[in-house]
Short mmCIF file of all heavy atoms in Angstrom, two decimals:
data_model
loop_
_atom_site.label_atom_id
_atom_site.label_comp_id
_atom_site.label_asym_id
_atom_site.label_seq_id
_atom_site.Cartn_x
_atom_site.Cartn_y
_atom_site.Cartn_z
N MET A 1 12.84 -3.70 -27.90
CA MET A 1 11.72 -2.78 -27.73
C MET A 1 10.77 -3.33 -26.67
O MET A 1 10.58 -4.52 -26.53
CB MET A 1 10.97 -2.61 -29.05
CG MET A 1 11.76 -1.77 -30.04
SD MET A 1 10.76 -1.20 -31.42
CE MET A 1 10.59 -2.70 -32.36
N THR A 2 10.20 -2.39 -25.94
CA THR A 2 9.28 -2.74 -24.86
C THR A 2 7.95 -2.05 -25.11
O THR A 2 7.93 -0.90 -25.53
CB THR A 2 9.85 -2.27 -23.51
OG1 THR A 2 11.19 -2.73 -23.40
CG2 THR A 2 9.05 -2.82 -22.34
N THR A 3 6.87 -2.76 -24.88
CA THR A 3 5.55 -2.17 -25.08
C THR A 3 4.73 -2.31 -23.81
O THR A 3 4.81 -3.33 -23.11
CB THR A 3 4.79 -2.90 -26.22
OG1 THR A 3 5.59 -2.83 -27.38
CG2 THR A 3 3.46 -2.23 -26.50
N LYS A 4 3.98 -1.26 -23.53
CA LYS A 4 3.15 -1.27 -22.33
C LYS A 4 1.86 -0.52 -22.63
O LYS A 4 1.86 0.49 -23.30
CB LYS A 4 3.94 -0.55 -21.23
CG LYS A 4 3.33 -0.55 -19.86
CD LYS A 4 4.34 0.07 -18.88
CE LYS A 4 3.77 0.12 -17.49
NZ LYS A 4 4.77 -0.27 -16.49
N THR A 5 0.75 -1.04 -22.11
CA THR A 5 -0.53 -0.33 -22.21
C THR A 5 -0.94 0.09 -20.81
O THR A 5 -0.97 -0.75 -19.90
CB THR A 5 -1.61 -1.23 -22.84
OG1 THR A 5 -1.19 -1.59 -24.16
CG2 THR A 5 -2.95 -0.51 -22.92
N VAL A 6 -1.17 1.37 -20.64
CA VAL A 6 -1.54 1.88 -19.32
C VAL A 6 -2.87 2.59 -19.37
O VAL A 6 -3.28 3.13 -20.41
CB VAL A 6 -0.48 2.87 -18.76
CG1 VAL A 6 0.79 2.14 -18.37
CG2 VAL A 6 -0.20 3.99 -19.75
N ASN A 7 -3.55 2.62 -18.24
CA ASN A 7 -4.79 3.38 -18.12
C ASN A 7 -4.46 4.83 -17.81
O ASN A 7 -3.60 5.11 -16.97
CB ASN A 7 -5.64 2.81 -16.98
CG ASN A 7 -6.14 1.43 -17.31
OD1 ASN A 7 -6.72 1.19 -18.36
ND2 ASN A 7 -5.89 0.50 -16.41
N ILE A 8 -5.16 5.73 -18.50
CA ILE A 8 -5.00 7.16 -18.25
C ILE A 8 -6.41 7.74 -18.07
O ILE A 8 -7.06 8.14 -19.03
CB ILE A 8 -4.24 7.85 -19.41
CG1 ILE A 8 -2.87 7.19 -19.60
CG2 ILE A 8 -4.10 9.35 -19.13
CD1 ILE A 8 -2.00 7.79 -20.67
N PRO A 9 -6.89 7.74 -16.82
CA PRO A 9 -8.28 8.10 -16.54
C PRO A 9 -8.67 9.50 -17.03
O PRO A 9 -9.84 9.76 -17.29
CB PRO A 9 -8.38 8.01 -15.01
CG PRO A 9 -7.25 7.11 -14.60
CD PRO A 9 -6.16 7.33 -15.60
N LYS A 10 -7.70 10.42 -17.15
CA LYS A 10 -8.04 11.80 -17.54
C LYS A 10 -8.28 11.99 -19.03
O LYS A 10 -8.60 13.09 -19.46
CB LYS A 10 -6.96 12.76 -17.03
CG LYS A 10 -7.03 12.89 -15.52
CD LYS A 10 -6.28 14.08 -15.00
CE LYS A 10 -6.55 14.25 -13.50
NZ LYS A 10 -5.52 15.09 -12.87
N ILE A 11 -8.13 10.95 -19.81
CA ILE A 11 -8.45 11.07 -21.24
C ILE A 11 -9.96 11.23 -21.39
O ILE A 11 -10.73 10.42 -20.88
CB ILE A 11 -8.00 9.81 -22.03
CG1 ILE A 11 -6.48 9.72 -22.09
CG2 ILE A 11 -8.59 9.84 -23.45
CD1 ILE A 11 -5.96 8.44 -22.78
N ASN A 12 -10.36 12.32 -22.07
CA ASN A 12 -11.80 12.54 -22.28
C ASN A 12 -12.20 12.67 -23.73
O ASN A 12 -13.36 12.49 -24.06
CB ASN A 12 -12.24 13.81 -21.53
CG ASN A 12 -12.49 13.52 -20.07
OD1 ASN A 12 -13.16 12.55 -19.73
ND2 ASN A 12 -11.92 14.34 -19.20
N CYS A 13 -11.26 13.04 -24.59
CA CYS A 13 -11.65 13.27 -25.98
C CYS A 13 -10.45 13.11 -26.90
O CYS A 13 -9.34 12.83 -26.46
CB CYS A 13 -12.26 14.67 -26.13
SG CYS A 13 -11.05 15.98 -25.87
N GLY A 14 -10.69 13.32 -28.16
CA GLY A 14 -9.64 13.19 -29.16
C GLY A 14 -8.54 14.22 -29.01
O GLY A 14 -7.42 14.02 -29.49
N HIS A 15 -8.87 15.33 -28.36
CA HIS A 15 -7.84 16.34 -28.11
C HIS A 15 -6.83 15.81 -27.10
O HIS A 15 -5.62 15.98 -27.26
CB HIS A 15 -8.48 17.64 -27.62
CG HIS A 15 -7.52 18.77 -27.47
ND1 HIS A 15 -7.18 19.30 -26.25
CD2 HIS A 15 -6.80 19.44 -28.38
CE1 HIS A 15 -6.29 20.26 -26.43
NE2 HIS A 15 -6.04 20.37 -27.72
N CYS A 16 -7.31 15.15 -26.08
CA CYS A 16 -6.44 14.54 -25.06
C CYS A 16 -5.51 13.50 -25.71
O CYS A 16 -4.31 13.49 -25.45
CB CYS A 16 -7.25 13.83 -23.98
SG CYS A 16 -8.42 14.88 -23.10
N THR A 17 -6.08 12.64 -26.51
CA THR A 17 -5.26 11.58 -27.12
C THR A 17 -4.22 12.19 -28.04
O THR A 17 -3.09 11.74 -28.10
CB THR A 17 -6.13 10.56 -27.88
OG1 THR A 17 -6.88 11.23 -28.89
CG2 THR A 17 -7.04 9.80 -26.96
N GLY A 18 -4.60 13.29 -28.74
CA GLY A 18 -3.65 13.96 -29.64
C GLY A 18 -2.49 14.54 -28.87
O GLY A 18 -1.33 14.45 -29.30
N THR A 19 -2.78 15.16 -27.71
CA THR A 19 -1.74 15.75 -26.87
C THR A 19 -0.78 14.67 -26.39
O THR A 19 0.44 14.82 -26.48
CB THR A 19 -2.36 16.46 -25.65
OG1 THR A 19 -3.24 17.48 -26.13
CG2 THR A 19 -1.29 17.07 -24.75
N ILE A 20 -1.33 13.58 -25.90
CA ILE A 20 -0.50 12.49 -25.39
C ILE A 20 0.38 11.92 -26.50
O ILE A 20 1.60 11.74 -26.32
CB ILE A 20 -1.39 11.38 -24.78
CG1 ILE A 20 -2.04 11.90 -23.49
CG2 ILE A 20 -0.58 10.10 -24.50
CD1 ILE A 20 -3.19 11.04 -22.99
N GLU A 21 -0.21 11.67 -27.64
CA GLU A 21 0.57 11.09 -28.74
C GLU A 21 1.68 12.04 -29.19
O GLU A 21 2.81 11.62 -29.42
CB GLU A 21 -0.36 10.74 -29.91
CG GLU A 21 -1.23 9.53 -29.56
CD GLU A 21 -2.26 9.20 -30.64
OE1 GLU A 21 -2.40 9.97 -31.62
OE2 GLU A 21 -2.93 8.15 -30.49
N ARG A 22 1.35 13.32 -29.29
CA ARG A 22 2.34 14.29 -29.76
C ARG A 22 3.49 14.44 -28.75
O ARG A 22 4.66 14.38 -29.10
CB ARG A 22 1.67 15.65 -30.00
CG ARG A 22 2.56 16.66 -30.69
CD ARG A 22 1.83 17.97 -30.96
NE ARG A 22 1.40 18.61 -29.71
CZ ARG A 22 0.14 18.76 -29.34
NH1 ARG A 22 -0.83 18.35 -30.09
NH2 ARG A 22 -0.15 19.34 -28.19
N GLU A 23 3.13 14.63 -27.48
CA GLU A 23 4.15 14.90 -26.46
C GLU A 23 5.04 13.68 -26.20
O GLU A 23 6.25 13.80 -26.11
CB GLU A 23 3.49 15.35 -25.15
CG GLU A 23 2.72 16.65 -25.26
CD GLU A 23 3.64 17.87 -25.33
OE1 GLU A 23 4.77 17.80 -24.82
OE2 GLU A 23 3.20 18.89 -25.90
N VAL A 24 4.42 12.53 -26.03
CA VAL A 24 5.21 11.35 -25.68
C VAL A 24 6.09 10.91 -26.85
O VAL A 24 7.23 10.49 -26.66
CB VAL A 24 4.31 10.20 -25.18
CG1 VAL A 24 5.12 8.94 -24.91
CG2 VAL A 24 3.56 10.62 -23.92
N SER A 25 5.58 11.07 -28.07
CA SER A 25 6.38 10.62 -29.22
C SER A 25 7.60 11.51 -29.44
O SER A 25 8.53 11.13 -30.15
CB SER A 25 5.53 10.54 -30.48
OG SER A 25 5.09 11.81 -30.86
N GLU A 26 7.62 12.69 -28.80
CA GLU A 26 8.79 13.56 -28.93
C GLU A 26 9.97 13.09 -28.08
O GLU A 26 11.09 13.54 -28.27
CB GLU A 26 8.43 15.00 -28.55
CG GLU A 26 7.83 15.76 -29.73
CD GLU A 26 7.40 17.17 -29.36
OE1 GLU A 26 7.79 17.66 -28.29
OE2 GLU A 26 6.65 17.75 -30.17
N LEU A 27 9.73 12.21 -27.13
CA LEU A 27 10.81 11.69 -26.29
C LEU A 27 11.72 10.80 -27.13
O LEU A 27 11.24 9.94 -27.88
CB LEU A 27 10.25 10.87 -25.13
CG LEU A 27 9.52 11.63 -24.02
CD1 LEU A 27 8.88 10.62 -23.08
CD2 LEU A 27 10.46 12.54 -23.26
N GLU A 28 13.02 11.01 -26.97
CA GLU A 28 13.96 10.17 -27.70
C GLU A 28 13.89 8.76 -27.15
O GLU A 28 13.91 8.55 -25.94
CB GLU A 28 15.38 10.73 -27.56
CG GLU A 28 16.26 10.28 -28.71
CD GLU A 28 17.71 10.71 -28.51
OE1 GLU A 28 17.96 11.73 -27.84
OE2 GLU A 28 18.57 9.98 -29.01
N GLY A 29 13.78 7.79 -28.03
CA GLY A 29 13.71 6.41 -27.61
C GLY A 29 12.29 5.85 -27.64
O GLY A 29 12.10 4.65 -27.53
N VAL A 30 11.30 6.75 -27.80
CA VAL A 30 9.91 6.28 -27.91
C VAL A 30 9.62 6.02 -29.39
O VAL A 30 9.82 6.89 -30.23
CB VAL A 30 8.91 7.31 -27.33
CG1 VAL A 30 7.48 6.93 -27.66
CG2 VAL A 30 9.10 7.43 -25.82
N ASN A 31 9.21 4.81 -29.68
CA ASN A 31 8.98 4.42 -31.08
C ASN A 31 7.57 4.70 -31.54
O ASN A 31 7.36 5.12 -32.68
CB ASN A 31 9.28 2.93 -31.26
CG ASN A 31 10.70 2.59 -30.84
OD1 ASN A 31 11.64 3.28 -31.20
ND2 ASN A 31 10.85 1.56 -30.02
N SER A 32 6.59 4.45 -30.67
CA SER A 32 5.22 4.73 -31.06
C SER A 32 4.33 4.92 -29.85
O SER A 32 4.61 4.39 -28.76
CB SER A 32 4.66 3.61 -31.95
OG SER A 32 4.43 2.46 -31.18
N VAL A 33 3.29 5.72 -30.03
CA VAL A 33 2.31 5.99 -28.97
C VAL A 33 0.93 5.99 -29.62
O VAL A 33 0.71 6.69 -30.60
CB VAL A 33 2.49 7.41 -28.36
CG1 VAL A 33 1.62 7.57 -27.13
CG2 VAL A 33 3.94 7.69 -28.04
N THR A 34 0.06 5.18 -29.08
CA THR A 34 -1.32 5.18 -29.57
C THR A 34 -2.24 5.33 -28.37
O THR A 34 -2.27 4.47 -27.49
CB THR A 34 -1.66 3.87 -30.30
OG1 THR A 34 -0.67 3.63 -31.29
CG2 THR A 34 -3.03 3.96 -30.96
N ALA A 35 -2.95 6.45 -28.32
CA ALA A 35 -3.87 6.68 -27.21
C ALA A 35 -5.29 6.42 -27.70
O ALA A 35 -5.62 6.69 -28.86
CB ALA A 35 -3.73 8.11 -26.69
N ASN A 36 -6.10 5.87 -26.82
CA ASN A 36 -7.47 5.48 -27.17
C ASN A 36 -8.46 6.16 -26.23
O ASN A 36 -8.40 5.97 -25.02
CB ASN A 36 -7.56 3.95 -27.04
CG ASN A 36 -8.90 3.42 -27.50
OD1 ASN A 36 -9.96 3.93 -27.13
ND2 ASN A 36 -8.86 2.38 -28.32
N LYS A 37 -9.35 6.98 -26.80
CA LYS A 37 -10.26 7.73 -25.94
C LYS A 37 -11.42 6.88 -25.42
O LYS A 37 -12.02 7.20 -24.40
CB LYS A 37 -10.79 8.98 -26.64
CG LYS A 37 -11.76 8.73 -27.77
CD LYS A 37 -12.30 10.06 -28.28
CE LYS A 37 -12.98 9.94 -29.61
NZ LYS A 37 -14.06 8.94 -29.68
N ASP A 38 -11.75 5.81 -26.11
CA ASP A 38 -12.89 5.00 -25.70
C ASP A 38 -12.60 4.18 -24.45
O ASP A 38 -13.44 4.09 -23.56
CB ASP A 38 -13.33 4.08 -26.85
CG ASP A 38 -13.80 4.90 -28.04
OD1 ASP A 38 -14.50 5.91 -27.81
OD2 ASP A 38 -13.45 4.56 -29.18
N ASN A 39 -11.41 3.59 -24.37
CA ASN A 39 -11.11 2.84 -23.14
C ASN A 39 -10.08 3.54 -22.26
O ASN A 39 -9.61 2.99 -21.29
CB ASN A 39 -10.71 1.39 -23.45
CG ASN A 39 -9.55 1.30 -24.40
OD1 ASN A 39 -8.84 2.29 -24.61
ND2 ASN A 39 -9.30 0.13 -24.96
N LYS A 40 -9.75 4.80 -22.63
CA LYS A 40 -8.85 5.63 -21.81
C LYS A 40 -7.51 4.94 -21.51
O LYS A 40 -7.12 4.77 -20.36
CB LYS A 40 -9.52 6.06 -20.50
CG LYS A 40 -10.79 6.89 -20.70
CD LYS A 40 -11.41 7.28 -19.38
CE LYS A 40 -12.81 7.85 -19.53
NZ LYS A 40 -12.83 9.23 -20.02
N THR A 41 -6.86 4.51 -22.58
CA THR A 41 -5.56 3.87 -22.43
C THR A 41 -4.57 4.47 -23.43
O THR A 41 -4.96 5.15 -24.38
CB THR A 41 -5.63 2.36 -22.73
OG1 THR A 41 -6.04 2.17 -24.08
CG2 THR A 41 -6.56 1.62 -21.79
N ALA A 42 -3.31 4.18 -23.18
CA ALA A 42 -2.28 4.52 -24.16
C ALA A 42 -1.33 3.33 -24.25
O ALA A 42 -0.95 2.76 -23.23
CB ALA A 42 -1.52 5.77 -23.76
N THR A 43 -1.01 2.96 -25.48
CA THR A 43 -0.04 1.91 -25.71
C THR A 43 1.23 2.56 -26.23
O THR A 43 1.20 3.28 -27.23
CB THR A 43 -0.58 0.89 -26.72
OG1 THR A 43 -1.77 0.31 -26.18
CG2 THR A 43 0.44 -0.23 -26.98
N ILE A 44 2.30 2.34 -25.50
CA ILE A 44 3.57 3.00 -25.80
C ILE A 44 4.64 1.95 -26.04
O ILE A 44 4.74 0.97 -25.31
CB ILE A 44 3.97 3.92 -24.62
CG1 ILE A 44 2.88 4.98 -24.40
CG2 ILE A 44 5.33 4.59 -24.88
CD1 ILE A 44 2.93 5.66 -23.06
N ASP A 45 5.40 2.18 -27.08
CA ASP A 45 6.49 1.27 -27.46
C ASP A 45 7.78 2.07 -27.40
O ASP A 45 7.89 3.12 -28.03
CB ASP A 45 6.20 0.78 -28.89
CG ASP A 45 7.22 -0.25 -29.35
OD1 ASP A 45 8.44 0.06 -29.30
OD2 ASP A 45 6.82 -1.32 -29.78
N TRP A 46 8.74 1.60 -26.60
CA TRP A 46 9.99 2.35 -26.47
C TRP A 46 11.20 1.44 -26.46
O TRP A 46 11.07 0.22 -26.28
CB TRP A 46 9.96 3.22 -25.21
CG TRP A 46 10.08 2.48 -23.91
CD1 TRP A 46 11.22 2.29 -23.19
CD2 TRP A 46 9.03 1.84 -23.16
NE1 TRP A 46 10.93 1.57 -22.04
CE2 TRP A 46 9.61 1.29 -22.01
CE3 TRP A 46 7.65 1.69 -23.37
CZ2 TRP A 46 8.87 0.59 -21.06
CZ3 TRP A 46 6.91 0.99 -22.42
CH2 TRP A 46 7.51 0.46 -21.29
N ASP A 47 12.35 2.08 -26.63
CA ASP A 47 13.63 1.37 -26.65
C ASP A 47 14.27 1.50 -25.27
O ASP A 47 14.72 2.57 -24.87
CB ASP A 47 14.52 2.00 -27.74
CG ASP A 47 15.81 1.22 -27.92
OD1 ASP A 47 16.09 0.31 -27.10
OD2 ASP A 47 16.53 1.52 -28.88
N GLU A 48 14.29 0.40 -24.56
CA GLU A 48 14.76 0.37 -23.17
C GLU A 48 16.21 0.83 -22.99
O GLU A 48 16.59 1.30 -21.93
CB GLU A 48 14.58 -1.07 -22.64
CG GLU A 48 14.72 -1.27 -21.15
CD GLU A 48 13.59 -0.67 -20.32
OE1 GLU A 48 12.45 -0.55 -20.82
OE2 GLU A 48 13.86 -0.31 -19.16
N THR A 49 17.00 0.75 -24.04
CA THR A 49 18.40 1.19 -23.92
C THR A 49 18.52 2.71 -23.98
O THR A 49 19.54 3.27 -23.61
CB THR A 49 19.30 0.56 -25.01
OG1 THR A 49 18.80 0.96 -26.30
CG2 THR A 49 19.32 -0.95 -24.91
N THR A 50 17.48 3.38 -24.47
CA THR A 50 17.52 4.84 -24.63
C THR A 50 16.74 5.56 -23.55
O THR A 50 17.13 6.63 -23.07
CB THR A 50 16.97 5.25 -26.02
OG1 THR A 50 17.63 4.48 -27.01
CG2 THR A 50 17.18 6.73 -26.29
N ILE A 51 15.61 4.98 -23.16
CA ILE A 51 14.74 5.66 -22.20
C ILE A 51 14.07 4.62 -21.29
O ILE A 51 13.81 3.49 -21.72
CB ILE A 51 13.70 6.54 -22.95
CG1 ILE A 51 12.94 7.45 -21.97
CG2 ILE A 51 12.73 5.70 -23.78
CD1 ILE A 51 12.13 8.54 -22.69
N LYS A 52 13.85 5.01 -20.05
CA LYS A 52 13.19 4.12 -19.09
C LYS A 52 11.73 4.52 -18.92
O LYS A 52 11.36 5.68 -19.11
CB LYS A 52 13.89 4.21 -17.72
CG LYS A 52 15.35 3.80 -17.74
CD LYS A 52 15.51 2.33 -18.08
CE LYS A 52 16.97 1.95 -18.20
NZ LYS A 52 17.19 0.85 -19.13
N TRP A 53 10.93 3.56 -18.51
CA TRP A 53 9.50 3.82 -18.31
C TRP A 53 9.27 5.00 -17.35
O TRP A 53 8.38 5.81 -17.55
CB TRP A 53 8.78 2.57 -17.81
CG TRP A 53 7.40 2.92 -17.36
CD1 TRP A 53 6.94 2.95 -16.08
CD2 TRP A 53 6.32 3.36 -18.20
NE1 TRP A 53 5.63 3.39 -16.07
CE2 TRP A 53 5.24 3.65 -17.36
CE3 TRP A 53 6.20 3.56 -19.57
CZ2 TRP A 53 4.03 4.11 -17.85
CZ3 TRP A 53 4.98 4.02 -20.06
CH2 TRP A 53 3.92 4.29 -19.21
N GLU A 54 10.11 5.10 -16.31
CA GLU A 54 9.94 6.16 -15.31
C GLU A 54 9.93 7.54 -15.97
O GLU A 54 9.19 8.43 -15.55
CB GLU A 54 11.08 6.11 -14.28
CG GLU A 54 10.97 4.97 -13.28
CD GLU A 54 11.14 3.57 -13.90
OE1 GLU A 54 11.90 3.44 -14.89
OE2 GLU A 54 10.49 2.64 -13.41
N GLN A 55 10.77 7.73 -16.99
CA GLN A 55 10.83 9.03 -17.67
C GLN A 55 9.57 9.30 -18.48
O GLN A 55 9.10 10.43 -18.56
CB GLN A 55 12.06 9.08 -18.59
CG GLN A 55 13.38 9.05 -17.82
CD GLN A 55 14.54 8.74 -18.75
OE1 GLN A 55 14.93 7.59 -18.90
NE2 GLN A 55 15.09 9.76 -19.38
N ILE A 56 9.05 8.25 -19.07
CA ILE A 56 7.81 8.40 -19.85
C ILE A 56 6.66 8.72 -18.90
O ILE A 56 5.86 9.63 -19.14
CB ILE A 56 7.52 7.11 -20.65
CG1 ILE A 56 8.67 6.82 -21.62
CG2 ILE A 56 6.18 7.21 -21.38
CD1 ILE A 56 8.62 5.44 -22.27
N SER A 57 6.63 7.99 -17.80
CA SER A 57 5.60 8.18 -16.79
C SER A 57 5.64 9.60 -16.22
O SER A 57 4.60 10.23 -16.00
CB SER A 57 5.82 7.14 -15.70
OG SER A 57 5.03 7.40 -14.59
N GLU A 58 6.85 10.11 -16.01
CA GLU A 58 7.02 11.48 -15.51
C GLU A 58 6.46 12.51 -16.48
O GLU A 58 5.81 13.47 -16.08
CB GLU A 58 8.52 11.76 -15.32
CG GLU A 58 8.93 12.10 -13.92
CD GLU A 58 10.45 12.09 -13.80
OE1 GLU A 58 11.10 12.89 -14.49
OE2 GLU A 58 10.98 11.26 -13.02
N LEU A 59 6.74 12.31 -17.76
CA LEU A 59 6.23 13.24 -18.77
C LEU A 59 4.70 13.23 -18.78
O LEU A 59 4.07 14.28 -18.84
CB LEU A 59 6.77 12.92 -20.16
CG LEU A 59 6.18 13.83 -21.25
CD1 LEU A 59 6.82 15.21 -21.22
CD2 LEU A 59 6.30 13.23 -22.62
N LEU A 60 4.12 12.05 -18.68
CA LEU A 60 2.66 11.95 -18.68
C LEU A 60 2.08 12.76 -17.51
O LEU A 60 1.08 13.45 -17.66
CB LEU A 60 2.22 10.48 -18.59
CG LEU A 60 2.37 9.67 -19.88
CD1 LEU A 60 2.19 8.19 -19.60
CD2 LEU A 60 1.37 10.14 -20.94
N GLU A 61 2.74 12.70 -16.39
CA GLU A 61 2.29 13.47 -15.23
C GLU A 61 2.41 14.96 -15.49
O GLU A 61 1.51 15.73 -15.20
CB GLU A 61 3.11 13.09 -14.00
CG GLU A 61 2.39 12.10 -13.10
CD GLU A 61 3.16 11.88 -11.82
OE1 GLU A 61 3.25 12.82 -11.00
OE2 GLU A 61 3.69 10.76 -11.67
N GLU A 62 3.56 15.35 -16.06
CA GLU A 62 3.83 16.76 -16.35
C GLU A 62 2.78 17.37 -17.28
O GLU A 62 2.41 18.53 -17.12
CB GLU A 62 5.21 16.91 -17.02
CG GLU A 62 6.36 17.04 -16.06
CD GLU A 62 7.69 16.96 -16.79
OE1 GLU A 62 7.78 17.41 -17.96
OE2 GLU A 62 8.65 16.43 -16.19
N ILE A 63 2.32 16.60 -18.24
CA ILE A 63 1.35 17.16 -19.20
C ILE A 63 -0.09 16.98 -18.73
O ILE A 63 -1.03 17.26 -19.46
CB ILE A 63 1.55 16.59 -20.62
CG1 ILE A 63 1.28 15.08 -20.69
CG2 ILE A 63 2.96 16.90 -21.13
CD1 ILE A 63 1.27 14.51 -22.11
N GLY A 64 -0.26 16.47 -17.51
CA GLY A 64 -1.60 16.40 -16.92
C GLY A 64 -2.36 15.11 -17.18
O GLY A 64 -3.57 15.05 -16.96
N PHE A 65 -1.63 14.09 -17.65
CA PHE A 65 -2.30 12.80 -17.91
C PHE A 65 -1.57 11.65 -17.22
O PHE A 65 -1.01 10.77 -17.88
CB PHE A 65 -2.37 12.53 -19.42
CG PHE A 65 -3.28 13.48 -20.15
CD1 PHE A 65 -2.76 14.54 -20.88
CD2 PHE A 65 -4.65 13.32 -20.09
CE1 PHE A 65 -3.60 15.43 -21.55
CE2 PHE A 65 -5.51 14.21 -20.75
CZ PHE A 65 -4.98 15.25 -21.48
N PRO A 66 -1.58 11.66 -15.88
CA PRO A 66 -0.87 10.60 -15.17
C PRO A 66 -1.44 9.21 -15.51
O PRO A 66 -2.65 9.08 -15.72
CB PRO A 66 -1.09 10.93 -13.70
CG PRO A 66 -2.25 11.87 -13.67
CD PRO A 66 -2.26 12.59 -14.97
N SER A 67 -0.54 8.24 -15.58
CA SER A 67 -0.97 6.88 -15.91
C SER A 67 -1.16 6.07 -14.64
O SER A 67 -0.56 6.34 -13.61
CB SER A 67 0.07 6.21 -16.80
OG SER A 67 1.27 6.04 -16.07
N VAL A 68 -2.05 5.10 -14.75
CA VAL A 68 -2.34 4.19 -13.64
C VAL A 68 -2.07 2.79 -14.16
O VAL A 68 -2.66 2.39 -15.17
CB VAL A 68 -3.82 4.32 -13.20
CG1 VAL A 68 -4.11 3.36 -12.06
CG2 VAL A 68 -4.14 5.74 -12.80
N ASP A 69 -1.19 2.09 -13.50
CA ASP A 69 -0.87 0.72 -13.97
C ASP A 69 -1.97 -0.27 -13.65
O ASP A 69 -2.63 -0.14 -12.63
CB ASP A 69 0.43 0.23 -13.33
CG ASP A 69 1.63 0.85 -14.05
OD1 ASP A 69 1.71 0.74 -15.28
OD2 ASP A 69 2.44 1.49 -13.36
CU1 LIG B 101 -9.76 15.89 -24.18
#
């Protein structure tokens, strides 16, 4: 399992964090997603054999919350 915390500047409220958590956790291979509205980050834990970071990053962009490393 791989874990990464990324900055997502477009997070503004609990609705944003809910969307990110719901959408990203639907990806196969993603084990957990915790988004934080106070410091505008998301911590994502995934299984590298099932999904690559690039795919997660792409989804974040698609739903309007691009990540910044
Ligand atoms: Cu919001």
Side-chain angles (χ1 to χ4, degrees):
M1 288 195 286
T2 309
T3 304
K4 185 173 179 138
T5 299
V6 288
N7 293 308
I8 302 181
K10 289 196 173 161
I11 291 176
N12 278 313
C13 67
H15 186 248
C16 301
T17 58
T19 301
I20 291 165
E21 289 175 353
R22 189 178 62 247
E23 296 286 333
V24 176
S25 66
E26 275 177 14
L27 290 172
E28 204 186 332
V30 171
N31 303 313
S32 72
V33 189
T34 308
N36 185 313
K37 70 175 165 54
D38 298 319
N39 56 16
K40 299 180 192 283
T41 62
T43 299
I44 300 162
D45 184 305
W46 72 96
D47 186 351
E48 192 70 28
T49 59
T50 309
I51 190 168
K52 299 295 176 209
W53 169 251
E54 286 67 32
Q55 293 165 267
I56 299 169
S57 169
E58 240 169 61
L59 176 77
L60 285 168
E61 261 187 68
E62 273 171 32
I63 64 172
F65 293 102
S67 65
V68 179
D69 281 307

